[in-house]
């Protein structure tokens, strides 16, 4: 914020920046950390236990796709899994590597997309938790899941819990506007779904400087059947869908957990 006096009149000039949001950009990673953030260790351990219980999973060779700051990756490694973690967000990966060093855990963290995977028939288990695929192009999305399929052994399991906008019968179109306040800033979130896409603005106002940052994003929204079609197109034929970890059956209005077996 720049304060100037001109002709006895006091002007306050605030800085405004506009960003097109992406996982790769440092601005996008910064906004996620401040506006959304990662769950803490207690919650992450509870999620890992849910996954193990649902799948009857025991230590094996696994890959964590979109591992973020490694919050679950490191817990699996601590439990005896041989883990590779991939993500395209450099800041989050650096945090994951630092935490692995502190915990004396050997985890193979790599900055790459799933569509860049070269392994074939290597992993017993692939994890994609709170996985958001709406930013991928149609071409990359197909390659993304084909590479996940290819990296698994026959009989290997791919577990995906989706994040991001959904298309349901209950909400074909919706709008949401909400204000939040933190210690350092005000945050306005404005979302809407139109024609199969979600458009979102996240505007932050710094309380001290008055500076404004506006993050804009556009991503595809998916229905249950669309996600099943994508998984089948990648090669998965054995697919079980749930609405939650209690094994409630998925339907067109409640879905998000996908268990896929390579055959």
């Amino acid at each position: 914020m720049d304060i100037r006096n001109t002709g006895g009149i006091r002007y306050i000039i605030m800085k405004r920046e506009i960003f097109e949001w992406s996982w790769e950009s440092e601005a996008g990673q910064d906004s996620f950390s401040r506006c959304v953030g990662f769950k803490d260790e207690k919650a992450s351990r509870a999620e890992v236990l849910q996954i193990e219980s649902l799948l009857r999973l025991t230590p094996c060779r696994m890959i964590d796709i979109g591992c973020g700051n490694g919050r679950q990756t490191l817990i699996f490694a601590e439990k005896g899994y041989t883990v590779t973690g991939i993500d395209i967000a450099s800041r989050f990966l650096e945090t994951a590597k630092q935490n692995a060093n502190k915990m004396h855990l050997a985890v193979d963290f790599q900055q790459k997309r799933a569509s860049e995977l070269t392994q074939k028939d290597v992993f017993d288990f692939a994890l994609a938790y709170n996985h958001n695929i709406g930013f991928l192009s149609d071409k990359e999305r197909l390659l993304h899941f084909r590479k996940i399929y290819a990296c698994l052994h026959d009989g290997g399991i791919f577990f995906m819990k989706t994040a991001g906008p959904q298309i349901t019968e209950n909400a074909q179109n919706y709008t949401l506007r909400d204000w939040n306040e933190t210690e350092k800033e005000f945050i306005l979130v404005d979302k809407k779904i139109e024609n199969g896409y979600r458009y979102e603005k996240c505007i932050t106002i710094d309380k001290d400087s008055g500076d404004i940052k506006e993050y804009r994003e556009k991503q595809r929204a998916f229905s249950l059947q669309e996600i099943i079609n994508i998984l089948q197109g990648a090669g998965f034929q054995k697919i079980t869908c749930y609405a939650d970890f209690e094994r409630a059956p998925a339907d067109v209005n409640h879905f998000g957990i996908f268990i896929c077996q390579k055959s």
Side-chain angles (χ1 to χ4, degrees):
M1 179 170 62
D2 186 10
I3 302 176
R4 302 178 185 176
N5 289 286
T6 305
I9 301 175
R10 190 175 188 231
Y11 293 92
I12 300 177
I13 302 173
M14 294 180 293
K15 181 181 178 182
R16 179 169 185 154
E17 297 177 277
I18 297 176
F19 304 92
E20 294 298 328
W21 197 92
S22 72
W23 285 112
E24 298 97 319
S25 72
E26 289 192 358
Q29 294 164 45
D30 180 61
S31 72
F32 178 84
S33 297
R34 291 187 294 111
C35 300
V36 181
F38 292 103
K39 291 185 179 179
D40 61 18
E41 182 182 351
K42 181 180 179 180
S44 299
R45 288 189 180 278
E47 291 169 347
V48 169
L49 287 174
Q50 284 182 316
I51 295 166
E52 288 184 312
S53 176
L54 182 65
L55 302 178
R56 297 178 181 174
L57 195 65
T58 56
C60 60
R61 188 168 185 181
M62 65 170 285
I63 182 169
D64 189 354
I65 299 158
C67 64
N69 68 352
R71 66 186 186 88
Q72 294 177 333
T73 326
L74 298 175
I75 295 169
F76 277 108
E78 194 178 47
K79 285 173 165 279
Y81 292 76
T82 301
V83 191
T84 296
I86 66 170
D87 205 294
I88 57 174
S90 57
R91 285 189 179 184
F92 301 159
L93 273 181
E94 185 58 34
T95 298
K97 291 176 182 178
Q98 291 173 1
N99 289 336
N101 288 333
K102 290 176 184 177
M103 297 171 69
H104 304 291
L105 294 171
V107 178
D108 180 18
F109 285 113
Q110 302 175 17
Q111 186 175 358
K112 65 170 54 176
R113 300 172 179 275
S115 57
E116 297 171 328
L117 287 171
T118 57
Q119 295 96 328
K120 293 185 178 180
D121 305 315
V122 170
F123 300 103
D124 305 298
F125 174 53
L127 171 67
Y129 197 93
N130 286 346
H131 202 47
N132 191 318
I133 59 173
F135 295 106
L136 302 177
S137 67
D138 291 342
K139 181 179 180 180
E140 183 179 359
R141 192 177 302 116
L142 179 59
L143 185 60
H144 177 94
F145 286 104
R146 282 183 174 173
K147 293 286 186 156
I148 294 172
Y149 180 87
C151 80
L152 289 168
H153 289 301
D154 287 344
I157 298 296
F158 172 46
F159 174 88
M160 178 172 68
K161 181 179 182 294
T162 57
Q166 296 181 340
I167 295 176
T168 67
E169 289 183 349
N170 291 339
Q172 290 289 344
N173 296 285
Y174 84 96
T175 58
L176 170 68
R177 175 169 287 185
D178 186 36
W179 275 104
N180 287 300
E181 182 179 357
T182 68
E183 183 180 347
K184 296 182 178 180
E185 60 191 0
F186 298 103
I187 302 171
L188 169 65
V189 176
D190 192 350
K191 302 179 183 180
K192 63 179 180 180
I193 286 184
E194 289 183 351
N195 302 318
Y197 283 87
R198 185 175 75 184
Y199 300 86
E200 180 173 350
K201 291 181 182 178
C202 178
I203 300 172
T204 65
I205 303 173
D206 188 283
K207 290 182 177 179
D208 293 328
S209 67
D211 290 345
I212 300 170
K213 291 183 178 180
E214 180 178 328
Y215 302 91
R216 298 176 179 177
E217 70 173 56
K218 173 187 175 183
Q219 61 171 306
R220 273 278 309 275
F222 295 92
S223 68
L224 172 60
Q225 190 59 53
E226 284 175 325
I227 295 176
I228 292 173
N229 291 345
I230 291 168
L231 293 168
Q232 289 177 335
F236 293 107
Q237 299 305 312
K238 297 181 180 179
I239 303 170
T240 303
C241 310
Y242 293 121
D244 54 39
F245 277 99
E246 302 303 317
R247 294 184 173 86
D251 60 40
V252 294
N253 289 313
H254 305 92
F255 58 91
I257 291 177
F258 299 83
I259 302 170
C260 312
Q261 185 174 19
K262 181 176 180 178
S263 56

